Amino acid sequence: MQHDDVIWSIINGTFCSFKVRTKSQKFCRNEYNLTGLCNRASCPLANSQYATVREEKGVCYLYMKTVERAAFPSRMWEKVKLSRSYEKALQQINEHLIYWPKFIKHKCKQRFTKITQYLIRIRRLVLKRRKKLVPLSRKIEKRERRKEEKALIAAKIDTAIEKELLERLKSGTYGEIYNFPSHAFDKVMDEEVEEESESEKEGEEEEDEEEEEEEEEGEVEYVAEEDFEESDISDLEDMDRLQGDDSDEESESSSESSSDDQDVKKGKKLKARRKRPRVEIEYEQEVDQPSTSKMRAKT
């Protein structure tokens, strides 16, 4: 027979593997515990009639223990699957625990509500995007950096060797003595041909554009009077007026400047006649023809 009071006196007084002591309270780590506290009412070992609610892979189950199955440990707990609907699950708890103590019934409902709340929270977090933090040790990071640096150096050396060998093959230093794979050489030659074709295309496009511009400059178009608008005619008249005004001002300024220049030249000529004596100068001017001509000038 099972004696609950004897079991509790042993658990409470001596030792229990599920009990955890703190400064203020005692807790229970048993998976069937209803509240998580270590006391007489909520201890699953010291109560022959006991019930709890557990969650397995997102589904809630009601577990019940009675005195009749105490002699059969493999069939001690009765498992009932609860509905996903909150109201229907509460009705199921009420139906199965109709003659049970109010404390167990109330605590089972409370536990079921807490489990449903955290399941809803889990579903929301799964649907929401979250950043995943991946821890990396410093040793691994340093090792990867060294590998990258070595790979870069090796790649630079390989490219330099490849360029040097290709230049030697182009210049014909090796001739036809060695058997070498011609893939790299053909690849470089194809790249050079493509670059030359691209440069030729660009030059042809520039020449075509220049020819089109020259053709457009030489073209003559005939336009009817109807094509001219009043605004265009008024603009032309304004331009003619401006050009006339500019020409008048230029003519006046040129006439004034020419008169001043003539006066100055006359005064200089008079001074030169008074001061300088007459001098005769002879000079020869070469022309394409074999004959030469002599000119005399008096100053």
Side-chain angles (χ1 to χ4, degrees):
M1 293 179 69
Q2 185 172 354
H3 298 282
D4 296 340
D5 295 330
V6 174
I7 294 167
W8 173 247
S9 64
I10 294 166
I11 289 169
N12 190 27
T14 58
F15 174 75
C16 179
S17 61
F18 299 107
K19 187 163 55 178
V20 178
R21 293 177 181 274
T22 60
K23 291 181 180 179
S24 59
Q25 232 172 1
K26 289 186 284 186
F27 294 96
C28 182
R29 291 184 297 182
N30 196 321
E31 58 184 359
Y32 291 102
N33 195 308
L34 188 60
T35 59
L37 300 172
C38 183
N39 52 33
R40 177 74 176 80
S42 59
C43 182
L45 301 175
N47 289 294
S48 57
Q49 191 178 11
Y50 196 77
T52 185
V53 177
R54 289 182 66 194
E55 179 262 327
E56 294 176 2
K57 296 180 181 179
V59 182
C60 294
Y61 294 94
L62 177 65
Y63 285 84
M64 295 174 288
K65 184 176 76 167
T66 57
V67 183
E68 290 80 13
R69 292 190 299 275
F72 306 99
S74 61
R75 292 181 294 161
M76 188 180 291
W77 293 92
E78 184 183 355
K79 185 178 178 181
V80 179
K81 186 179 179 181
L82 298 174
S83 177
R84 288 185 180 274
S85 177
Y86 181 72
E87 294 176 357
K88 289 181 181 178
L90 290 177
Q91 287 177 3
Q92 287 177 346
I93 291 167
N94 286 326
E95 288 174 0
H96 287 91
L97 304 178
I98 190 168
Y99 298 116
W100 288 57
K102 289 183 179 179
F103 174 78
I104 293 173
K105 195 188 293 185
H106 175 68
K107 289 295 179 183
C108 285
K109 289 178 182 178
Q110 194 175 10
R111 186 178 176 85
F112 176 71
T113 53
K114 289 288 181 184
I115 289 167
T116 51
Q117 285 173 2
Y118 84 68
L119 287 173
I120 291 163
R121 223 174 288 132
I122 287 166
R123 292 190 193 105
R124 286 179 183 171
L125 290 171
V126 168
L127 294 171
K128 194 185 289 184
R129 289 183 179 180
R130 296 177 66 189
K131 291 182 179 179
K132 190 177 181 181
L133 299 174
V134 180
L136 291 172
S137 61
R138 292 182 181 177
K139 290 182 179 178
I140 294 167
E141 288 180 357
K142 288 180 181 179
R143 201 182 302 154
E144 288 179 354
R145 284 176 189 169
R146 286 173 189 168
K147 285 181 181 178
E148 288 175 359
E149 290 173 358
K150 289 178 181 177
L152 287 170
I153 292 163
K156 288 178 182 177
I157 292 165
D158 292 338
T159 51
I161 292 164
E162 188 178 355
K163 286 179 182 177
E164 184 66 26
L165 289 171
L166 290 169
E167 287 176 0
R168 291 183 183 181
L169 288 170
K170 285 179 187 177
S171 60
T173 53
Y174 297 124
E176 297 180 356
I177 298 168
Y178 302 101
N179 295 321
F180 58 89
S182 61
H183 299 291
F185 186 73
D186 295 335
K187 185 180 177 181
V188 174
M189 293 300 291
D190 293 335
E191 289 177 357
E192 289 182 356
V193 170
E194 288 178 358
E195 289 177 359
E196 289 177 359
S197 61
E198 287 177 359
S199 61
E200 288 177 359
K201 285 180 182 179
E202 290 177 358
E204 288 176 359
E205 288 176 358
E206 290 177 357
E207 289 176 359
D208 293 336
E209 289 177 358
E210 290 177 357
E211 288 177 358
E212 288 177 359
E213 289 178 358
E214 290 176 358
E215 289 176 358
E216 289 176 358
E217 288 176 358
E219 287 181 358
V220 179
E221 293 182 0
Y222 297 95
V223 183
E225 292 181 357
E226 296 175 356
D227 295 338
F228 279 101
E229 295 180 358
E230 292 180 357
S231 61
D232 296 335
I233 295 164
S234 61
D235 293 337
L236 290 169
E237 290 176 355
D238 294 335
M239 289 293 290
D240 293 334
R241 287 174 187 170
L242 291 169
Q243 287 176 359
D245 296 335
D246 294 336
S247 61
D248 295 335
E249 289 176 358
E250 286 177 358
S251 61
E252 288 176 359
S253 62
S254 62
S255 62
E256 290 176 358
S257 62
S258 61
S259 62
D260 294 335
D261 292 337
Q262 286 175 2
D263 295 335
V264 172
K265 285 178 181 178
K266 286 178 182 178
K268 286 181 179 179
K269 283 180 181 179
L270 291 170
K271 289 178 181 178
R273 284 176 185 174
R274 289 174 186 172
K275 291 179 180 179
R276 293 181 181 178
R278 292 182 181 180
V279 180
E280 291 182 359
I281 299 169
E282 294 182 0
Y283 66 92
E284 294 180 358
Q285 187 175 1
E286 293 182 0
V287 191
D288 294 339
Q289 296 177 1
S291 63
T292 59
S293 61
K294 294 182 179 180
M295 299 293 290
R296 290 184 180 182
K298 295 180 180 180
T299 56

